[in-house]
Amino acid sequence: MTVRIDVTAPDDPRGAHVVANAPLVGVSALTACRVTRVHHVDGDVTLEQLTELCDQVLVDPVVDVRVVDGVTPHEGRAVEVALMPGATDTDARELEQAARNMGLPEIRVVTARRYDLLGELSDADVATITRRLLANDTIEIWTEGELPAEFAGVAEADVRVEPVPLEGLSGDELLRLSHDRVLSLDLTEMEAIQQHFAAEGRHPRDAELETLAQTWSEHCVHKTFRAMIELTHTAADGTVTHSHHDGLLAALRSVTEELDPPWLRSAFVDDAGIVAFDGEFDLAFKVETHNHPSALEPFGGANTGVGGVVRDVIGVSARPIACTDVLCFGPADLPEDRLPEGVLHPRRIRDGVVAGIGDYGNKLGLPTVNGAVLYDEGYTANPLVYCGALGILPHGSHPTEPQVDDRIISLGGRVGRDGIHGATFSSAGMDASTVDHVGSAVQIGDPITEKGLIEVISRARDDQLYHAITDCGAGGFSSSIGEMGEKLGVDVDLSAVPLKYPGLQPWEIWLSEAQERIVIAVPPGSIADLEALCAAWDVEITDLGTFTGSARLVVRYGETPVVDLPMDFLHDGIPRREMRAVWADTAPNNIEVPPLDASHVLRLLAHPNVASNEDIIRRYDHEVRGGTVVRPYVGPEADGPADAAVLKPLGTVGTKAVVLSNGICPAVGHHDPYAMALLAMDEAVRNLVAVGGDPDQVAVLDNFCWGDPTKPDRLGSLVRAVQGCTEGARRYAMPFISGKDSLFNEFDGNAIPGTLLISALGLVPDLHRAIDSAGMAVDDDVWFVGEHQAALGGSLASEAFDLGATTVPTPLVDPLPRYRAVHAAIAAGLVSAAHDCSDGGLAVAVAEMAIAARLGVAIDVPADGLDAATALINEAPGRLVLTASPADRSVVSSILREHGRRIGSVTADDSIHLGELVVPLDAAVLANTNGVVV
Amino acid sequence: MSRPPVLILHASGTNRDEEAAQAIRLAGGHPRIAHVNELRSGAVRIADYASVLLPGGFSYGDALGAGGRLALELRTWFSDELALAAENGKPMLGICNGFQVLVKAGLLPGPMGEPRSVTLTENAEGRFECRWVTLRVESACRSGWLGAIGGMTIRCPVAHGEGRVAVADPSTAARLEDGLVAFRYLADGPRPISNDPVLAGGVYPANPNGSVNDIAGICDDGGTIVGLMPHPEDHVFDWQRPSGPEGGSGLPLFEAFVAGAR
């Protein structure tokens, strides 16, 4: 029998949240919202047993009321929302497990949520609230009134393998096939596949075509970053140069090889880059993007973004220890009429993304410690979600060579139809119909299963139970097993794969990007130990086949052949692209900068890109694992933004700590992407140095989010940014150790601003000498490091005050001496607080320090020959504000040398004096924390 | 002096077990992290340990309400062993998710099997919250092992979404006030805590979740079982404490817990 169980918490704050948000979507009449959790239970159980189950696990007797075998009476308008059949329904699975634990007969459960909406609401109001606040059509169904229980049907196993004839197809027909099957392959690639099978004298099977499309996708093989590119570049002064680029990725890698510092362990070859921490441990670091899925289903997209990057770190045998996130959204206050059709409002995307990141990171027990949030209308339809993960592993503990006869072992989640075509989907642009085509590419994560993988892999690694490991990400098994078996060849039987529900065709099992899976190569003698480990930690383990030595990718479903491809064609058969790129830097201009008053400074502090993100940050656990030394917000009121995060990994000895920072300045890239790259690298380094990091041991990751690279101007700016990265790596002696590109971030032909995120990983030699921006005391000297520039192009002030500046700052040529000097002063314990000058320049930097410390600051604005306003708001690189005791003045001066000058002091006064300009501290706090300018 | 063996119970989704083990080690105990599966199989027995610690995290994803499924498992599979441990006076400490489990299992404030009148539910702000708070160990608390540190203050973080202590009725609140309140949230401020600290008074964010009477933790009638929402295990070294209000380390709490097991 099927029984409905309703559980309602009358004071559920989620209802109040809906009421609070209704006016933001244009509904003012909603007065109350009551949330009911609905469970449909099917099984051979008595009502008495169900009532017992309900009272044991579903109902909190202190706050809940329940209805068993009935429907809670409606109040106002009732809307029910449920996940689409087949989507991950964790609550349902847990209730089924609870029944098992209680010794009840097997039950099947589906869940839903009911919202009772009170107030004078029109039909349109109910629809608006539902669509905008309660349900997401990408993954959920809803109705006013009651939704019937939809149990996923018990479908027959479907072992069809279908041939896809390519013989005789014209170019147009090949392209249509590529489009219709979401293969995202171009004509040259389709023709290469056509020729391969013509030579074999047979039709490709569906799974073979899909495997090639995944392996050859932009996402997996980085076609653009491996292409040969001809660039025509027009510099700001009109000089035109033509250059040939023999692979962007090769250019980035070659600088790393050229620098080759002794602490570099592994770069670009694996799921994550690896550097030394101390004599015993190494650190693994990776940053990924999950942009397209987050645009469609923000919670699930960001959720699985965190899950994916954490698996990258597990995939190099490391234990994850921290997460980072950098987010780019459209303006939170975007007027409704500027929202393109088929696009979620930036506010909803932001709230969903933040909740998704918090949910996954918090449940994995990982501190989310470093990040940034940027708002720009260019990200409205294409938000950017950069998720990073840091891991730790004993030095030399990561095996990378599978052996012939090793078993192919899959660990973790079950396979469903979810996430099919994720890799090819992320290699194409989006439009309003995207949801209909690729809804299946969006998924919901299950962090608890991934947590099990962390526990099992760290132990299996210590017990040396496997020879190789890789994350199962984009492309699913087709990519992970295909890559792992590249040298040896594999024989895989898909009939062994545990499924979430039956009915998947073999190619779907092979391609599914169902989350929380890791593949390892295990010698037959270690299987028993691994099985015991998996049993102890509740992790599902599956033997999929063998590493053969045949150099072929052989996939079967039982005895039915599914894929039989030579590894060399799969991995080396893709034709190399030849591409054309064009870029012209913006011509410089001279602009008039009006004199500043206090309200200008307050407007900068209240700007969404500067104002406090505390509301977001506090939803992330930044304390778990007990290693957080410098946290995202600092100072007595914990509301001053930190420059970087400092972590002491749990279980390590000594005083060394890790520092994570980032640099990102897309507004500069609009004018000069080469400069943007160098300035972003500078920002990452100065943030890292500001908390006590050593500038002589910094590794960086690149993350390029760009538009469609087949359009020459998009590709032109991308090539210029890569050129900036390689030059920056040399100037800062800072190797790239890993990276990621997410291209095709376009909506209806409009590209996002080309956005480069630089993520830096460094070390603080002594965690007791780590500092933040708030540690100063009254009467401390204020020191300024660096020089201003008259260039306001790409600056926050240019945007906020509509100055129209186009001249961007000139990157530093020899940056290390100044950063070494600052580091020496901090490492000697002489600096009480430090903060970098970035968005909003010196004015914002000094104000943020005053806010963080709740102390006054008075400076004479160092002019460098500029007017006071330009000196206060320019965003030239290489500048920091430090404070130090006046007793140490001469020694600080001798360490900073020509790089530093004393410009003022910390005061007990409740105001910020920037030369003649005076900003009351309380007004600054209000602007920065609440966005209110008084 | 011998190091008492402390069982740290791990269910799938548990975290902060390693920090808890670190705190126990620093406090002189000998921690052993064991999965519930190991208890079920009999490979690990509660009887072999001097005390039991339930750490933080999201056991089984907290899908059925925080701590719900693990609470069910404790009641279904281990109620006799837990009752015996309590009878023998073995200290039991639940932190965050562990506290939620003990409450949902009916062990706090107990006795198990009675209808529950205390719960931990959604934060008043309606969202997960991570921030440092100040706690006071209540001198009036009847817990014997906690008595050693009565009146002390502890600075440490909270990190939870369902940490609001709520009671079914006024008589339950009165019952808690009769020596069952173990920890309360104190008012925050940038200045050192005076000798006469002020309670948070229900005001966010010093009371981060809207708990009734600023209650951050409680004990059972016998005083051996103690639970709290904040994370004293995340403040056992000086360098872990951010600037801001003064307040003590969490280490004395673990020292008292380990000493209570001797």
Side-chain angles (χ1 to χ4, degrees):
Chain A
M1 65 171 191
T2 301
V3 173
R4 174 175 165 136
I5 301 173
D6 282 6
V7 181
T8 309
D11 296 326
D12 193 329
R14 279 170 292 203
H17 184 75
V18 175
V19 174
N21 278 280
L24 299 179
V25 298
V27 178
S28 51
L30 182 71
T31 54
C33 172
R34 201 180 61 170
V35 187
T36 296
R37 291 169 283 147
V38 178
H39 313 76
H40 299 282
V41 183
D42 180 52
D44 191 14
V45 283
T46 65
L47 211 51
E48 197 179 6
Q49 286 172 318
L50 276 185
T51 307
E52 171 73 6
L53 175 70
C54 177
D55 290 346
Q56 286 279 347
V57 296
L58 283 183
V59 174
D60 185 326
V62 180
V63 292
D64 291 334
V65 293
R66 61 150 164 88
V67 174
V68 179
D69 197 16
V71 179
T72 308
H74 289 185
E75 277 182 69
R77 310 280 292 265
V79 174
E80 289 194 5
V81 181
L83 287 164
M84 286 177 176
T88 305
D89 186 346
T90 315
D91 290 13
R93 298 296 83 74
E94 281 296 313
L95 189 57
E96 289 165 359
Q97 183 58 43
R100 249 169 251 139
N101 289 352
M102 288 174 63
L104 299 182
E106 277 296 308
I107 57 171
R108 292 201 303 158
V109 180
V110 292
T111 68
R113 305 184 304 279
R114 200 184 85 192
Y115 299 91
D116 287 13
L117 305 171
L118 280 72
E120 294 294 317
L121 300 170
S122 67
D123 290 352
D125 288 343
V126 172
T128 300
I129 292 171
T130 307
R131 285 183 188 282
R132 302 290 306 278
L133 297 176
L134 307 180
N136 183 337
D137 291 336
T138 306
I139 55 161
E140 290 170 324
I141 50 176
W142 61 274
T143 188
E144 189 163 2
E146 281 162 49
L147 271 180
E150 273 203 62
F151 292 92
V154 184
E156 293 294 314
D158 184 350
V159 296
R160 273 178 302 149
V161 175
E162 302 192 36
V164 185
L166 299 181
E167 207 180 340
L169 294 194
S170 69
D172 281 352
E173 287 166 331
L174 286 172
L175 281 177
R176 194 171 319 127
L177 180 70
S178 169
H179 179 265
D180 290 349
R181 291 194 75 109
V182 201
L183 301 178
S184 297
L185 294 173
D186 71 9
L187 184 57
T188 329
E189 291 153 357
M190 287 300 288
E191 284 172 346
I193 295 170
Q194 190 180 36
Q195 283 155 20
H196 173 82
F197 285 97
E200 288 218 344
R202 66 178 178 97
H203 297 313
R205 302 177 188 103
D206 49 7
E208 289 173 325
L209 206 49
E210 297 284 353
T211 300
L212 286 161
Q214 297 298 323
T215 311
W216 291 6
S217 68
E218 184 67 65
H219 188 100
C220 293
V221 81
H222 310 287
K223 285 184 267 212
T224 301
F225 268 70
R226 290 176 193 276
M228 283 177 289
I229 301 171
E230 300 296 332
L231 170 69
T232 303
H233 171 230
T234 309
D237 63 5
T239 317
V240 178
T241 36
H242 300 280
S243 54
H244 175 76
H245 299 267
D246 191 7
L248 300 177
L249 186 58
L252 289 162
R253 288 180 71 151
S254 78
V255 196
T256 298
E257 284 159 18
E258 179 187 313
L259 293 168
D260 193 30
W263 42 265
L264 181 66
R265 298 285 188 246
S266 164
F268 290 108
V269 296
D270 227 325
D271 288 344
I274 306 177
V275 298
F277 175 64
D278 58 13
E280 194 180 355
F281 291 102
D282 292 342
L283 297 167
F285 192 30
K286 177 75 173 185
V287 177
E288 273 281 1
T289 50
H290 226 214
N291 304 332
H292 284 29
S294 302
L296 300 179
E297 209 297 279
F299 181 92
N303 204 239
T304 50
V306 176
V309 77
V310 165
R311 278 197 310 285
D312 281 331
V313 164
I314 303 173
V316 295
S317 302
R319 178 154 191 127
I321 59 171
C323 291
T324 67
D325 66 306
V326 173
L327 312 174
C328 303
F329 302 120
D333 57 357
L334 186 79
E336 298 289 325
D337 57 8
R338 295 183 67 95
L339 193 64
E341 192 198 332
V343 172
L344 298 175
H345 193 277
R347 197 171 48 240
R348 182 166 185 194
I349 294 180
R350 178 192 63 193
D351 291 352
V353 163
V354 167
I357 290 173
D359 179 77
Y360 213 102
N362 294 347
K363 285 182 175 169
L364 283 183
L366 296 177
T368 301
V369 286
N370 182 248
V373 186
L374 280 73
Y375 297 93
D376 185 286
E377 198 159 346
Y379 301 115
T380 297
N382 268 281
L384 301 184
V385 176
Y386 295 94
C387 300
L390 175 73
I392 192 163
L393 67 160
H395 177 58
S397 66
H398 171 48
T400 56
E401 297 289 335
Q403 307 292 318
V404 171
D405 293 334
D406 277 355
R407 307 305 303 166
I408 303 167
I409 300 296
S410 165
L411 301 174
R414 293 186 155 228
V415 170
R417 202 163 270 134
D418 36 0
I420 287 173
H421 284 147
T424 49
F425 161 49
S426 68
S427 307
M430 296 196 292
D431 58 38
S433 69
T434 302
V435 173
D436 304 330
H437 293 144
V438 293
S440 64
V442 180
Q443 323 169 48
I444 299 171
D446 174 11
I448 302 309
T449 297
E450 185 137 317
K451 180 72 169 27
L453 289 175
I454 294 174
E455 303 292 350
V456 164
I457 292 297
S458 59
R459 288 165 176 82
R461 174 201 66 204
D462 291 347
D463 295 345
Q464 301 182 350
L465 298 183
Y466 59 86
H467 285 149
I469 178 168
T470 192
D471 149 49
C472 210
F477 286 140
S478 82
S479 289
S480 58
I481 298 178
E483 278 170 31
M484 208 179 208
E486 181 176 354
K487 290 180 191 151
L488 296 180
V490 293
D491 180 1
V492 178
D493 183 357
L494 294 177
S495 68
V497 176
L499 303 179
K500 291 180 181 173
Y501 38 82
L504 272 69
Q505 285 182 252
W507 77 266
E508 292 178 303
I509 300 173
W510 182 236
L511 268 290
S512 166
E513 296 180 7
Q515 296 288 304
E516 290 95 20
R517 293 179 297 155
I518 289 275
V519 177
I520 52 179
V522 182
S526 297
I527 294 290
D529 287 346
L530 186 65
E531 283 173 343
L533 199 52
C534 288
W537 293 91
D538 282 345
V539 170
E540 190 155 21
I541 170 170
T542 312
D543 188 332
L544 298 177
T546 317
F547 290 90
T548 56
S550 71
R552 292 188 76 82
L553 174 67
V554 176
V555 183
R556 300 172 287 112
Y557 189 95
E559 292 308 313
T560 310
V562 176
V563 176
D564 189 352
L565 287 171
M567 284 291 190
D568 56 354
F569 179 65
L570 181 63
H571 290 288
D572 305 320
I574 181 173
R576 198 166 168 203
R577 278 191 179 165
E578 292 174 24
M579 305 175 81
R580 201 172 60 80
V582 175
W583 181 256
D585 293 326
T586 314
N589 64 355
N590 287 312
I591 51 153
E592 198 67 25
V593 181
L596 298 187
D597 60 33
S599 76
H600 288 95
V601 177
L602 294 176
R603 278 163 63 194
L604 291 175
L605 288 169
H607 188 284
N609 290 359
V610 170
S612 172
N613 289 316
E614 217 190 325
D615 268 5
I616 292 175
I617 303 297
R618 299 233 171 269
R619 293 169 185 235
Y620 306 150
D621 190 340
H622 41 79
E623 301 288 345
V624 59
R625 298 190 69 77
T628 312
V629 182
V630 174
R631 26 187 75 69
Y633 280 90
V634 300
E637 301 288 342
D639 58 0
D643 289 78
V646 178
L647 293 167
K648 172 68 181 162
L650 186 63
T652 61
V653 296
T655 60
K656 255 188 197 174
V658 189
V659 51
L660 296 175
S661 67
N662 67 71
I664 185 168
C665 48
V668 174
H670 181 69
H671 306 294
D672 182 347
Y674 175 86
M676 168 175 75
L678 282 153
L679 296 176
M681 292 172 87
D682 189 79
E683 184 182 11
V685 173
R686 64 179 193 264
N687 275 319
L688 178 143
V689 168
V691 296
D694 179 355
D696 277 309
Q697 187 176 340
V698 183
V700 283
L701 309 179
D702 62 66
N703 274 83
F704 299 92
C705 287
W706 246 260
D708 179 352
T710 64
K711 297 176 182 167
D713 63 326
R714 274 66 153 172
L715 186 60
S717 80
L718 179 63
V719 174
R720 290 295 293 160
V722 171
Q723 285 183 301
C725 285
T726 55
E727 179 60 22
R730 290 190 181 96
R731 291 188 191 177
Y732 291 82
M734 191 162 75
F736 284 93
I737 58 167
S738 188
K740 171 74 196 295
D741 53 277
S742 164
L743 309 179
F744 300 96
N745 287 289
E746 304 226 350
F747 190 91
D748 275 347
N750 294 312
I752 59 160
T755 306
L756 168 67
L757 171 67
I758 296 291
S759 307
L761 166 63
L763 298 178
V764 174
D766 180 352
L767 65 91
H768 299 101
R769 292 278 160 87
I771 60 169
D772 60 31
S773 57
M776 67 246 214
V778 173
D779 293 336
D780 275 1
D781 290 339
V782 176
W783 295 80
F784 177 65
V785 173
E787 310 80 31
H788 303 305
Q789 294 184 29
L792 294 177
S795 68
L796 184 81
S798 179
E799 188 223 302
F801 308 142
D802 212 7
L803 301 178
T806 62
T807 312
V808 303
T810 304
L812 303 180
V813 175
D814 185 19
L816 279 175
R818 84 174 58 183
Y819 288 126
R820 286 181 183 133
V822 171
H823 177 61
I826 294 173
L830 296 168
V831 179
S832 52
H835 193 30
D836 88 312
C837 296
S838 56
D839 290 4
L842 179 63
V844 165
V846 169
E848 284 183 338
M849 291 178 85
I851 291 168
R854 288 296 195 278
L855 289 172
V857 177
I859 63 164
D860 293 323
V861 180
D864 291 342
L866 306 175
D867 60 278
T870 304
L872 278 171
I873 60 176
N874 81 89
E875 297 177 10
R879 298 174 308 150
L880 292 137
V881 179
L882 314 178
T883 60
S885 163
D888 297 324
R889 190 173 293 169
S890 64
V891 57
V892 170
S893 175
S894 71
I895 292 176
L896 294 180
R897 303 187 314 276
E898 74 276 19
H899 304 296
R901 41 192 152 154
R902 194 161 55 81
I903 59 169
S905 54
V906 180
T907 70
D909 186 6
D910 282 338
S911 54
I912 302 157
H913 295 256
L914 305 167
E916 303 294 304
L917 201 160
V918 182
V919 182
L921 186 56
D922 53 1
V925 170
L926 195 63
N928 198 232
T929 54
N930 295 343
V932 176
V933 176
V934 289
Chain B
M1 205 166 5
S2 73
R3 289 179 160 264
V6 177
L7 177 64
I8 298 179
L9 191 60
H10 184 116
S12 296
T14 293
N15 58 54
R16 282 188 164 92
D17 47 342
E18 292 181 49
E19 294 128 273
Q22 173 177 264
I24 292 295
R25 221 172 282 123
L26 289 169
H30 183 72
R32 160 78 154 94
I33 296 172
H35 197 283
V36 176
N37 291 345
E38 295 180 274
L39 258 69
R40 266 217 100 187
S41 73
V44 172
R45 298 186 325 144
I46 293 173
D48 294 334
Y49 290 85
S51 54
V52 181
L53 192 156
L54 281 77
F58 294 81
S59 53
Y60 305 112
D62 281 354
L64 306 172
R69 180 168 145 199
L70 182 54
L72 174 71
E73 295 184 347
L74 291 187
R75 280 198 310 267
T76 312
W77 298 333
F78 308 116
S79 57
D80 292 347
E81 286 176 73
L82 290 169
L84 186 66
E87 231 169 81
N88 293 338
K90 286 185 184 178
M92 201 180 303
L93 175 64
I95 303 172
C96 195
N97 194 245
F99 181 28
Q100 292 163 336
V101 169
L102 291 171
V103 168
K104 304 281 174 81
L107 284 157
L108 278 178
M112 194 152 54
E114 300 275 305
R116 285 206 293 119
S117 56
V118 175
T119 198
L120 290 159
T121 188
E122 299 272 347
N123 292 353
E125 297 283 313
R127 58 182 196 220
F128 183 95
E129 179 102 5
C130 179
R131 63 166 64 248
W132 280 64
V133 296
T134 310
L135 304 179
R136 183 177 67 195
V137 186
E138 295 297 286
S139 304
C141 177
R142 69 174 69 167
S143 168
W145 63 264
L146 209 53
I149 58 167
M152 282 183 68
T153 61
I154 298 174
R155 279 286 286 170
C156 65
V158 289
H160 60 246
E162 297 178 46
R164 176 162 60 96
V165 176
V167 293
D169 45 53
S171 66
T172 305
R175 180 187 160 212
L176 292 182
E177 292 304 324
D178 185 23
L180 299 188
V181 177
F183 305 90
R184 282 188 221 269
Y185 298 108
L186 295 187
D188 260 349
R191 284 153 288 280
I193 290 170
S194 65
N195 291 330
D196 185 21
V198 180
L199 290 176
V203 178
Y204 175 87
N207 175 337
N209 49 36
S211 285
V212 63
N213 295 332
D214 297 323
I215 296 173
I218 59 175
C219 71
D220 71 333
D221 283 329
T224 58
I225 308 176
V226 173
L228 76 166
M229 284 312 297
H231 290 285
E233 74 277 27
D234 283 345
H235 183 193
V236 294
F237 301 114
D238 280 346
W239 54 261
Q240 290 171 318
R241 185 167 58 84
S243 51
E246 299 293 319
S249 154
L251 192 54
L253 171 62
F254 294 95
E255 287 169 341
F257 178 63
V258 169
R262 285 183 205 278

